[in-house]
Amino acid sequence: MLKQAAEAAQAALSAASDVLQAGRYMARGVRQQLIGADYGAYLAHMGRTHPDQPPLSYEAFFRERQEARYSSRTGRCC
């Protein structure tokens, strides 16, 4: 009986973890749709591949992403 309760509790924790992870993915997707990129991912990228260059501030990053997304230079949005 105790073993079954422990297995049920473990299954519930696993399901809750899956739901939380799905929520994180959804939030990230919404941010990417609104901003065009994830600032945290940008910072990680800059630290990994361009450690000698200072990263943009959040405001500058947001502005640059908005300009890239809505600029008519390419004649298309994507």
Side-chain angles (χ1 to χ4, degrees):
M1 181 71 98
L2 219 48
K3 184 178 179 181
Q4 289 175 337
E7 289 173 354
Q10 184 61 35
L13 286 174
S14 179
S17 176
D18 291 346
V19 168
L20 287 172
Q21 186 62 40
R24 288 185 199 104
Y25 287 142
M26 289 176 59
R28 184 174 181 182
V30 168
R31 276 193 305 274
Q32 287 178 343
Q33 289 298 315
L34 294 176
I35 299 173
D38 182 17
Y39 187 65
Y42 163 74
L43 290 176
H45 166 79
M46 289 298 289
R48 260 190 335 272
T49 58
H50 308 287
D52 56 322
Q53 298 176 9
L56 296 173
S57 68
Y58 179 80
E59 291 78 15
F61 172 79
F62 181 83
R63 195 173 329 116
E64 190 274 330
R65 291 287 80 216
Q66 290 294 307
E67 288 173 8
R69 182 174 185 181
Y70 296 114
S71 174
S72 61
R73 289 178 288 171
T74 61
R76 57 185 202 153
C77 68
C78 301

